[in-house]
Amino acid sequence: MVSTFTHEFNTPVYKGRASFSTGLYINGKFVEGSDKTTIDVINPSTGKVITKVAEATAKDVDIAVDAAQKAFETTWGLNSGGAERSKLLGKLARLMEEHQQELAALEALDNGKTFTWAMNADTAVAIDTIRYYAGWADKIHGQVQETDEKKLTYSRHEPIGVVGQIIPWNFPLLMMAWKLGPALATGNCIVLKPSEFTPLTAIRMCELIHQAGFPPGVFNLLTGYGSTVGAAIASHMKIEKIAFTGSTMVGRKIMEAAAKSNLKNVTLELGGKNPNIIFNDADLDQAVNWAAHGSYWNHGQACTAGSRIYVQSGVYDEFLAKFTEKVRSLKVGDPFAVDSYQGPQASKVQYDRIMNFIQSGKDQGATVHLGGDRNGTEGYYINPTIFTNTTPNMKIVQEEIFGPVGVVIKFDDEEDVIRQANDTVFGLAAAVFSQNITRAITTAHRLKAGTAWINCVNQIHSNVPFGGFKQSGIGRELGEYALHNYTAVKAVQVNLGYVM
Ligand code: NAP
Ligand code: MG
């Protein structure tokens, strides 16, 4: 029997009740996994089990794909109109808005991010993204190509079919919205796997999707492990497109599985080790505030985290003093406390990974300028950490830590900092701080990254393309660009009297 999860939130920032089924959502119904096994859902603030959710298997992937295929051929895909899809997405956005606080509270409970940020960032942007793509759904069309007066030639942007989507735990609801919006607007049917560490908001979303009135099979959710369910999605012969957000290591596996199975179309949003360059002529107080937000927001668990902070020698000492003061003031604590900026890391695995990186920084001779240790004795809290005196080849300078750890690096020369900033396998985002507009823009143009922020960081808008250069990914999400990931272009050529 599918069990129900019920939770009373009685916190300073939110009081309310959540209650929903914890099964897989297939063909418009909550069902158990075919093996009837479950996965423990952990609260990272305490390390304790919140509830159990159904564990899907490869067999459930087949069942969900068949349901999606059937929906694509009957009620969705080319059988649905753009206006209808727009209406349903619009309704979903409204339902998310009505339940925004509950969604934010579930995110805080399961992921450990603060309720306040979950309200102001995750849920707010997720709603905006669904609404944005509701606007696109009835504006998807091809072109007419003028060829010959005796021919009519045009292109159609058709939905692809059944698409697989795999998302991570750092922005569970937001990453789901980025995937759902363009896929549903263009008429595809979905089989989605959330992270095993943070499945709750995805499950709650199934109820909202249901309530919005999407036909059964259009959206299917499989909670389960990457090595089983994720791998089965990536290698499925009837899934024609896969969209993945997660680590570069798993992204590689997805591409390999796609190549070895049916050459499904692949888009990847992967990791980053993002440079943040602060020139002598920056507005220093602003640069300090943004740099702290860049490196420590979402507990450093952001693919765009600006954790390599390059500061020009003329302002280095002043920057470091102010930055240290700022980072020290970031309040670590209960995600449901009014003044918390940083909650626990999302899981024990992630906590251990970050502590290992901190240890490697110490072992390789970098200086722990601030933090570097656990916060408290319960849950997975880590004090915001600053390293100085690093060298370019250290692990903490080269690898994505995905935790509240920033390295501050002194530089003299503009050419040299651009070379250092680009000296990475990643290319997701970069930031430049300078009040000299020419320097700021020319530097931004020379950085090899899918996003370059000038005098700000971590700005995301539903209509602005997002994605990575180099090993940070393939393809772009958001904006009009994301629609291309979910449409197949067909050229139609009609003979109007051209005689053989
Ligand atoms: P991850 O370990 O790569 O996992 C991501 C997803 O892939 C999870 O759902 C995971 O399942 C699944 N998975 C694991 N092994 C798989 C396999 N063999 N086949 C198919 N799926 C598999 O990443 P994460 O730790 O969740 O997230 C952190 C990473 O995501 C960071 O590198 C971060 O930079 C990146 N990220 C990128 C963006 C972006 O837009 N560029 C945004 C957010 C995060 P499980 O449930 O078993 O873990
Ligand atoms: Mg959790």
Side-chain angles (χ1 to χ4, degrees), residues 52-64:
K52 293 174 188 301
V53 297
E55 181 196 353
T57 62
K59 190 169 165 212
D60 298 309
V61 177
D62 287 338
I63 298 169

PDB file of all heavy atoms in Angstrom, residues 52-64:
ATOM      1  N   LYS A  52       9.770   7.641   4.701  1.00  0.00           N
ATOM      2  CA  LYS A  52      10.302   6.743   3.664  1.00  0.00           C
ATOM      3  C   LYS A  52       9.518   7.006   2.393  1.00  0.00           C
ATOM      4  O   LYS A  52       8.320   7.274   2.461  1.00  0.00           O
ATOM      5  CB  LYS A  52      10.094   5.274   4.069  1.00  0.00           C
ATOM      6  CG  LYS A  52      10.903   4.842   5.278  1.00  0.00           C
ATOM      7  CD  LYS A  52      10.499   3.429   5.664  1.00  0.00           C
ATOM      8  CE  LYS A  52      11.115   2.990   6.980  1.00  0.00           C
ATOM      9  NZ  LYS A  52      12.568   3.008   7.026  1.00  0.00           N
ATOM     10  N   VAL A  53      10.198   6.908   1.262  1.00  0.00           N
ATOM     11  CA  VAL A  53       9.480   7.050  -0.012  1.00  0.00           C
ATOM     12  C   VAL A  53       9.721   5.791  -0.841  1.00  0.00           C
ATOM     13  O   VAL A  53      10.696   5.065  -0.616  1.00  0.00           O
ATOM     14  CB  VAL A  53       9.926   8.308  -0.805  1.00  0.00           C
ATOM     15  CG1 VAL A  53       9.609   9.574  -0.035  1.00  0.00           C
ATOM     16  CG2 VAL A  53      11.410   8.248  -1.164  1.00  0.00           C
ATOM     17  N   ALA A  54       8.828   5.559  -1.792  1.00  0.00           N
ATOM     18  CA  ALA A  54       8.942   4.361  -2.619  1.00  0.00           C
ATOM     19  C   ALA A  54      10.240   4.386  -3.415  1.00  0.00           C
ATOM     20  O   ALA A  54      10.676   5.441  -3.876  1.00  0.00           O
ATOM     21  CB  ALA A  54       7.754   4.282  -3.563  1.00  0.00           C
ATOM     22  N   GLU A  55      10.840   3.207  -3.562  1.00  0.00           N
ATOM     23  CA  GLU A  55      12.045   3.092  -4.387  1.00  0.00           C
ATOM     24  C   GLU A  55      11.674   2.454  -5.722  1.00  0.00           C
ATOM     25  O   GLU A  55      11.178   1.321  -5.755  1.00  0.00           O
ATOM     26  CB  GLU A  55      13.099   2.221  -3.691  1.00  0.00           C
ATOM     27  CG  GLU A  55      14.365   2.113  -4.524  1.00  0.00           C
ATOM     28  CD  GLU A  55      15.295   0.979  -4.099  1.00  0.00           C
ATOM     29  OE1 GLU A  55      15.056   0.332  -3.076  1.00  0.00           O
ATOM     30  OE2 GLU A  55      16.276   0.756  -4.844  1.00  0.00           O
ATOM     31  N   ALA A  56      11.915   3.176  -6.793  1.00  0.00           N
ATOM     32  CA  ALA A  56      11.632   2.625  -8.123  1.00  0.00           C
ATOM     33  C   ALA A  56      12.773   1.712  -8.568  1.00  0.00           C
ATOM     34  O   ALA A  56      13.882   1.781  -8.034  1.00  0.00           O
ATOM     35  CB  ALA A  56      11.465   3.766  -9.125  1.00  0.00           C
ATOM     36  N   THR A  57      12.482   0.878  -9.538  1.00  0.00           N
ATOM     37  CA  THR A  57      13.496   0.002 -10.135  1.00  0.00           C
ATOM     38  C   THR A  57      13.454   0.195 -11.655  1.00  0.00           C
ATOM     39  O   THR A  57      12.602   0.921 -12.173  1.00  0.00           O
ATOM     40  CB  THR A  57      13.170  -1.476  -9.855  1.00  0.00           C
ATOM     41  OG1 THR A  57      11.905  -1.743 -10.477  1.00  0.00           O
ATOM     42  CG2 THR A  57      13.081  -1.760  -8.364  1.00  0.00           C
ATOM     43  N   ALA A  58      14.336  -0.517 -12.331  1.00  0.00           N
ATOM     44  CA  ALA A  58      14.361  -0.432 -13.798  1.00  0.00           C
ATOM     45  C   ALA A  58      13.010  -0.862 -14.383  1.00  0.00           C
ATOM     46  O   ALA A  58      12.580  -0.342 -15.421  1.00  0.00           O
ATOM     47  CB  ALA A  58      15.488  -1.303 -14.337  1.00  0.00           C
ATOM     48  N   LYS A  59      12.328  -1.790 -13.714  1.00  0.00           N
ATOM     49  CA  LYS A  59      11.020  -2.252 -14.203  1.00  0.00           C
ATOM     50  C   LYS A  59      10.017  -1.098 -14.174  1.00  0.00           C
ATOM     51  O   LYS A  59       9.199  -0.934 -15.086  1.00  0.00           O
ATOM     52  CB  LYS A  59      10.547  -3.409 -13.311  1.00  0.00           C
ATOM     53  CG  LYS A  59       9.349  -4.116 -13.868  1.00  0.00           C
ATOM     54  CD  LYS A  59       9.074  -5.400 -13.106  1.00  0.00           C
ATOM     55  CE  LYS A  59       7.668  -5.846 -13.463  1.00  0.00           C
ATOM     56  NZ  LYS A  59       7.006  -6.521 -12.378  1.00  0.00           N
ATOM     57  N   ASP A  60      10.098  -0.289 -13.110  1.00  0.00           N
ATOM     58  CA  ASP A  60       9.188   0.865 -13.018  1.00  0.00           C
ATOM     59  C   ASP A  60       9.502   1.902 -14.099  1.00  0.00           C
ATOM     60  O   ASP A  60       8.607   2.624 -14.539  1.00  0.00           O
ATOM     61  CB  ASP A  60       9.288   1.507 -11.625  1.00  0.00           C
ATOM     62  CG  ASP A  60       8.863   0.538 -10.532  1.00  0.00           C
ATOM     63  OD1 ASP A  60       7.774  -0.037 -10.657  1.00  0.00           O
ATOM     64  OD2 ASP A  60       9.652   0.340  -9.592  1.00  0.00           O
ATOM     65  N   VAL A  61      10.773   1.959 -14.496  1.00  0.00           N
ATOM     66  CA  VAL A  61      11.121   2.875 -15.589  1.00  0.00           C
ATOM     67  C   VAL A  61      10.367   2.433 -16.848  1.00  0.00           C
ATOM     68  O   VAL A  61       9.756   3.254 -17.545  1.00  0.00           O
ATOM     69  CB  VAL A  61      12.655   2.916 -15.845  1.00  0.00           C
ATOM     70  CG1 VAL A  61      12.978   3.807 -17.034  1.00  0.00           C
ATOM     71  CG2 VAL A  61      13.395   3.404 -14.596  1.00  0.00           C
ATOM     72  N   ASP A  62      10.368   1.132 -17.119  1.00  0.00           N
ATOM     73  CA  ASP A  62       9.639   0.622 -18.299  1.00  0.00           C
ATOM     74  C   ASP A  62       8.150   0.971 -18.215  1.00  0.00           C
ATOM     75  O   ASP A  62       7.548   1.398 -19.211  1.00  0.00           O
ATOM     76  CB  ASP A  62       9.776  -0.911 -18.390  1.00  0.00           C
ATOM     77  CG  ASP A  62      11.169  -1.334 -18.823  1.00  0.00           C
ATOM     78  OD1 ASP A  62      11.870  -0.501 -19.443  1.00  0.00           O
ATOM     79  OD2 ASP A  62      11.553  -2.476 -18.536  1.00  0.00           O
ATOM     80  N   ILE A  63       7.567   0.780 -17.035  1.00  0.00           N
ATOM     81  CA  ILE A  63       6.126   1.045 -16.877  1.00  0.00           C
ATOM     82  C   ILE A  63       5.843   2.533 -17.102  1.00  0.00           C
ATOM     83  O   ILE A  63       4.899   2.908 -17.812  1.00  0.00           O
ATOM     84  CB  ILE A  63       5.649   0.600 -15.467  1.00  0.00           C
ATOM     85  CG1 ILE A  63       5.854  -0.915 -15.298  1.00  0.00           C
ATOM     86  CG2 ILE A  63       4.182   0.981 -15.237  1.00  0.00           C
ATOM     87  CD1 ILE A  63       5.657  -1.417 -13.867  1.00  0.00           C
ATOM     88  N   ALA A  64       6.700   3.379 -16.515  1.00  0.00           N
ATOM     89  CA  ALA A  64       6.496   4.830 -16.652  1.00  0.00           C
ATOM     90  C   ALA A  64       6.699   5.278 -18.103  1.00  0.00           C
ATOM     91  O   ALA A  64       5.947   6.122 -18.613  1.00  0.00           O
ATOM     92  CB  ALA A  64       7.458   5.577 -15.719  1.00  0.00           C
TER      93      ALA A  64
END
